[in-house]
Amino acid sequence: MRPLGEDDGAAFKALRLTAIADSPGAIWPTAEEEAARTPDEVRARIAQTASQAVFGAFHGVELVGIAGLRRETLAQVAHKASVWGVFVHPAWRKEGIARQLFMRIREYAVEMGVLQIHLSVNAENHRAKNLYESLGFQAFGLEPRCMRVGVTFYDEVHMCLRLD
């Protein structure tokens, strides 16, 4: 479990494309949009900065799970950060990898001085919602028709975890 770096761009992009194929209702970009990202765009997305990091779970050298954390940069909302892009390769599910990623995200958020973490999850993704609730996240709203895949609309549940 470590922050991704420049050399992880190709593996990150490949896992994102797997995520879209596996769960198109959970990932905002389409496969075409994700595939069109240039290596420079991918490196910028995963670069660790003062306001963001993307963590990867590895089995040997294989990237099997990802989760990003992006902190707000404006002073009056800098106490918040958002989790994005959570995915564990189907072959590695039920191994506790997502929970480990979230524990690392939480630890990193505390190090950054973040007081609450937000995320959104497809309302139909009960497995993910159950995980988030078990980690202490609480739902605070529902965004109807947040995402459209083809002709199907998906609602998203907004959740928050207070760290203070």
Side-chain angles (χ1 to χ4, degrees), residues 8-20 34 42 63 66 87 89:
D8 298 310
F12 173 81
K13 185 173 182 175
L15 192 55
R16 290 279 294 173
L17 289 170
T18 299
I20 294 165
E34 192 70 29
V42 173
L63 181 62
I66 50 177
F87 182 73
H89 191 285

Side-chain angles (χ1 to χ4, degrees), residues 21 40 44 58 77 95 100-101 103 113 125 137 153 156:
D40 286 342
F58 291 84
V77 289
E95 300 290 328
Q100 290 173 33
L101 281 166
M103 297 313 288
N125 189 343
F137 282 85
F153 288 95
E156 283 201 350

Side-chain angles (χ1 to χ4, degrees), residues 86-102:
V86 178
F87 182 73
V88 174
H89 191 285
W92 291 96
R93 290 183 183 152
K94 298 186 180 180
E95 300 290 328
I97 292 171
R99 183 172 297 280
Q100 290 173 33
L101 281 166
F102 268 92

Side-chain angles (χ1 to χ4, degrees), residues 87-153:
F87 182 73
V88 174
H89 191 285
W92 291 96
R93 290 183 183 152
K94 298 186 180 180
E95 300 290 328
I97 292 171
R99 183 172 297 280
Q100 290 173 33
L101 281 166
F102 268 92
M103 297 313 288
R104 183 62 188 104
I105 289 270
R106 181 185 178 130
E107 179 182 283
Y108 183 71
V110 169
E111 290 168 9
M112 290 177 29
V114 168
L115 300 179
Q116 62 191 46
I117 301 172
H118 291 239
L119 60 78
S120 296
V121 59
N122 183 315
E124 296 177 17
N125 189 343
H126 301 292
R127 185 177 67 228
K129 283 194 314 186
N130 289 340
L131 169 67
Y132 302 150
E133 288 171 352
S134 78
L135 293 166
F137 282 85
Q138 295 181 327
F140 67 88
L142 179 77
E143 184 175 350
R145 296 173 63 154
C146 176
M147 185 173 164
R148 186 176 80 179
V149 179
V151 297
T152 304
F153 288 95

Side-chain angles (χ1 to χ4, degrees), residues 60-76:
V61 297
E62 180 186 4
L63 181 62
V64 299
I66 50 177
L69 183 73
R70 186 174 299 119
R71 182 183 191 165
E72 299 292 339
T73 56
L74 299 174
Q76 295 186 136

